[in-house]
Amino acid sequence: MPLWLFVFLAALAVLAALGVVLQRNPVHCLMALVVVLLDLAVMFIGLGAVTVGFLQAIVYVGAIMVLFLFVIWLLNLQTEERRVAGSIGLRFFGAVGAAALVAELCVFVVKAPSTAGLSHVPPTFGSIGAIAEALFTDYLIAFEATSLLLLVAVIGAVALARRATASRTRSPVPVSPAVHEQIGARQ
Amino acid sequence: MAVDLVIAAIRAVVMLLLVLNLSAILLWFERKGSALIQDRIGANRAAILGVGARLGLPNLGIVNTLLADPIKMFTKEDFVPAGADHFLHGLAPFLALFPVLVTFAVIPIGDTVTIGAHTFDLVAADFNDAALYVLASIGIGVYGIALGGWASNNRWALLGGIRASAQMISYEIAMGLAIVAVVATYGTLSLQAIVREQGGVWFGWLPRWGIILQPIAFLLLFTAGMAESKRVPFDLPESESELVAGYFTEYSGGKQAVFMLTDFAEVALVAMLVTTFFFGGWQVPWLYRDGFHLPGGALVSIPYWAVVVLGVVAFWIKTIFFCWLQILIRWTLPRFRYDQLMRFGWKLLVPIGLLNLIVTAVVVVMAGS
């Protein structure tokens, strides 16, 4: 990836990330987050991790962010009001945390290892074949354990949703048998 | 270097213009075709000096749909409702159109061409992960529709946007499963390579098209693709009898035209994807690089440039056939109910897609060993 492209993408990512934090309308924040994620996907592709880049676009932008949009609509979130910030203690700990994070980043940048001695990655790096081979040989157990975890989460979500609907069918308002018959006849 | 750049630019621009023109022609095709199906006359105004009528020909309404309508639309007032989100309301139509148009970049429309010292494939951009690129850009297409509905500050529009995003996310899974099965069959993600794999014949006469290896995946992709393009029987996001016009209720003029263009570009996209994955793309039956090898063993040799031209023509014939099929289905079937739509997607298409993928994987592994 040429340097000018990296600088452009990095600046765009930072701007969009600021947009996520600073805007007040939740849908605008979400769209800024979509820009950040797409920006990262382009960076992955530019750095040779083509498959990871596309998967980032499919999974995060194409699916997860749409679910976020759903949640915003279902909860009917409005533009947040700018209130006076919380207690002094909260502000103090916030400042300390932010300072610690900045210090950590500075240490990381200063102590970053030099790239001089590193060899180039093989041309197959980042191709879907190389990723699949790594996933299904060296990292097979981790991969399968993760799939199991996700499967459990999916089944759990379905079970929770089912229980909620089952309890709702016992309607709190008594319904006369005649109405039940009518509904049954219509179905 | 400069010549390569010019060639790349020409490939991209030609593909874009072809798609935009095809979308416009589909608009006319749909209006006149629906009139035929419903025993109406359809578009028949704005003839140029009445030339057709003087010759005794029926007025086909081509000027009407391809010239008069666009001029009318783009000179209309661009209305933004009160309380709407101006920025997103303006952005949404283009957010819907852009991902569809960029997807066409990876669709191969012809074989390799050599001009002077430059050899290239007739595809705007061919790279290894093209199938993933298709899925990614289709996934991003949800935002334009969803935000168009939300930014209008209208309940019908919001309901349409919510329906559209739920529907598109649900059917993307079936679509992805169908594409993964095809990719597993051919062992490559590049669409041009998939088309090349479909050249040649079995038993001396049967073209090696993907439909024969993956008939179930074809049905899945075609159905899910129609649902992605939000047309009848999957047009719940706009269902005019319930939601006025769904997500584009509050759009007028040019922006509405962009939404309409997106619609027809999606029809063309689904047709091209089906053609590429299952009907050999630009492959003509029995046609090889040196000419026709007819089933009897006869060889009709034709020059290579004619082979390329025939391939391009074959690709467009197949594409237009599937566009026609989608328009026919649209004007034949009634709309799904919402629960039917969700049950059809999640309880029928997704399980079938998973089963199809498992069978494909087993067969591929057994054939490979």
Side-chain angles (χ1 to χ4, degrees):
Chain A
M1 186 157 58
L3 184 65
W4 63 266
L5 186 59
F6 176 76
V7 171
F8 171 73
L9 288 174
L12 184 64
V14 171
L15 266 180
L18 282 175
V20 178
V21 185
L22 295 179
Q23 286 182 110
R24 282 187 284 167
N25 187 323
V27 175
H28 289 185
C29 297
L30 184 120
M31 287 319 289
L33 190 53
V34 167
V35 173
V36 175
L37 292 171
L38 271 179
D39 190 298
L40 291 184
V42 175
M43 272 199 198
F44 274 128
I45 293 168
L47 292 171
V50 180
T51 310
V52 176
F54 283 126
L55 289 181
Q56 160 108 358
I58 294 173
V59 175
Y60 284 93
V61 181
I64 293 180
M65 284 300 116
V66 181
L67 287 182
F68 275 35
L69 205 58
F70 255 86
V71 172
I72 289 175
W73 285 339
L74 286 180
L75 299 180
N76 197 17
L77 293 182
Q78 304 294 326
T79 303
E80 65 175 336
E81 288 161 24
R82 190 147 289 182
R83 284 172 302 183
V84 183
S87 67
I88 294 188
L90 211 60
R91 280 199 209 172
F92 174 73
F93 283 113
V96 169
L101 189 65
V102 170
E104 257 180 69
L105 283 174
C106 289
V107 169
F108 183 76
V109 169
V110 170
K111 289 212 160 180
S114 155
T115 54
L118 296 178
S119 59
H120 279 284
V121 291
T124 56
F125 171 80
S127 76
I128 198 158
I131 288 177
E133 203 164 320
L135 271 187
F136 290 103
T137 54
D138 295 350
Y139 304 102
L140 182 64
I141 294 176
F143 177 73
E144 293 296 342
T146 314
S147 346
L148 197 66
L149 190 67
L150 288 174
L151 187 65
V152 169
V154 168
I155 293 174
V158 172
L160 285 174
R162 278 181 73 91
R163 197 163 57 201
T165 35
S167 65
R168 207 183 301 143
T169 47
R170 290 195 298 275
S171 79
V173 184
V175 179
S176 74
V179 173
H180 270 302
E181 267 169 34
Q182 269 186 354
I183 294 170
R186 219 178 292 148
Q187 280 169 348
Chain B
M1 186 60 206
V3 182
D4 284 333
L5 273 180
V6 170
I7 290 176
I10 290 175
R11 278 150 69 192
V13 170
V14 165
M15 190 66 195
L16 186 64
L17 290 181
L18 284 173
V19 168
L20 289 176
N21 279 306
L22 179 65
S23 309
I25 292 169
L26 281 178
L27 171 67
W28 170 76
F29 204 60
E30 169 149 289
R31 289 189 63 182
K32 213 60 189 171
S34 66
L36 268 176
I37 290 171
Q38 299 178 335
D39 201 14
R40 293 185 283 117
I41 294 171
N44 66 345
R45 297 290 121 176
I48 296 180
L49 303 173
V51 173
R54 251 176 242 163
L55 298 173
L57 298 170
N59 187 343
L60 293 175
I62 294 177
V63 180
N64 184 335
T65 46
L66 298 191
L67 206 61
D69 273 6
I71 290 174
K72 179 198 80 178
M73 279 183 150
F74 282 98
T75 49
K76 245 177 150 171
E77 183 193 356
D78 177 25
F79 180 75
V80 181
D85 188 318
H86 273 253
F87 178 64
L88 286 181
H89 187 269
L91 186 66
F94 304 99
L95 221 50
L97 180 64
F98 179 75
V100 181
L101 287 186
V102 294
T103 316
F104 288 101
V106 294
I107 307 259
I109 60 169
D111 205 348
T112 310
V113 173
T114 305
I115 297 176
H118 302 278
T119 302
F120 54 90
D121 285 337
L122 287 182
V123 44
D126 187 34
F127 50 91
N128 280 330
D129 290 336
L132 286 180
Y133 172 83
V134 169
L135 284 175
S137 51
I138 288 175
I140 295 169
V142 180
Y143 287 100
I145 313 293
L147 288 176
W150 177 79
S152 299
N153 189 31
N154 176 317
R155 276 158 207 184
W156 305 127
L158 180 59
L159 278 174
I162 291 176
R163 282 186 183 185
S165 35
Q167 174 175 333
M168 287 170 86
I169 274 211
S170 307
Y171 282 79
E172 244 163 53
I173 296 172
M175 199 170 194
L177 286 171
I179 291 180
V180 169
V182 176
V183 167
T185 309
Y186 293 114
T188 172
L189 285 163
S190 154
L191 300 197
Q192 183 71 307
I194 287 176
V195 172
R196 282 197 203 290
E197 290 278 330
Q198 298 180 60
V201 289
W202 283 304
F203 317 124
W205 58 273
L206 188 62
R208 296 169 62 112
W209 286 358
I211 177 79
I212 294 156
L213 289 175
Q214 287 286 355
I216 298 172
F218 159 66
L219 289 177
L220 279 177
L221 184 69
F222 194 53
T223 316
M226 285 196 67
E228 288 284 318
S229 63
K230 303 174 291 299
R231 288 160 62 80
V232 182
F234 301 102
D235 73 330
L236 285 107
E238 48 179 286
S239 66
E240 60 285 281
S241 49
E242 306 160 25
L243 299 183
V244 188
Y247 59 90
F248 54 72
T249 305
E250 296 288 0
Y251 281 90
S252 63
K255 292 180 194 163
Q256 148 75 10
V258 171
F259 269 131
M260 237 159 98
L261 184 64
T262 311
D263 217 33
F264 287 102
E266 275 174 341
V267 171
L269 179 64
V270 171
M272 285 187 192
L273 286 180
V274 165
T275 304
T276 306
F277 284 131
F278 302 105
F279 290 87
W282 41 262
Q283 301 277 3
V284 183
W286 313 310
L287 183 64
Y288 293 81
R289 304 199 114 201
D290 54 346
F292 282 102
H293 291 248
L294 296 178
L299 170 67
V300 182
S301 56
I302 53 174
Y304 182 65
W305 63 264
V307 173
V308 173
V309 170
L310 275 178
V312 174
V313 171
F315 174 81
W316 286 102
I317 289 177
K318 293 171 193 174
T319 299
I320 290 169
F321 172 79
F322 282 105
C323 291
W324 167 81
L325 191 60
Q326 285 179 75
I327 289 173
L328 193 68
I329 291 173
R330 178 190 169 161
W331 292 98
T332 310
L333 295 180
R335 182 184 305 136
F336 277 117
R337 220 171 48 216
Y338 194 73
D339 59 322
Q340 291 172 331
L341 175 91
M342 284 296 152
R343 202 183 308 141
F344 185 65
W346 286 103
K347 294 194 175 172
L348 194 71
L349 292 189
V350 171
I352 289 177
L354 283 172
L355 270 180
N356 185 46
L357 185 58
I358 291 171
V359 172
T360 306
V362 169
V363 171
V364 165
V365 169
M366 279 168 61
S369 63

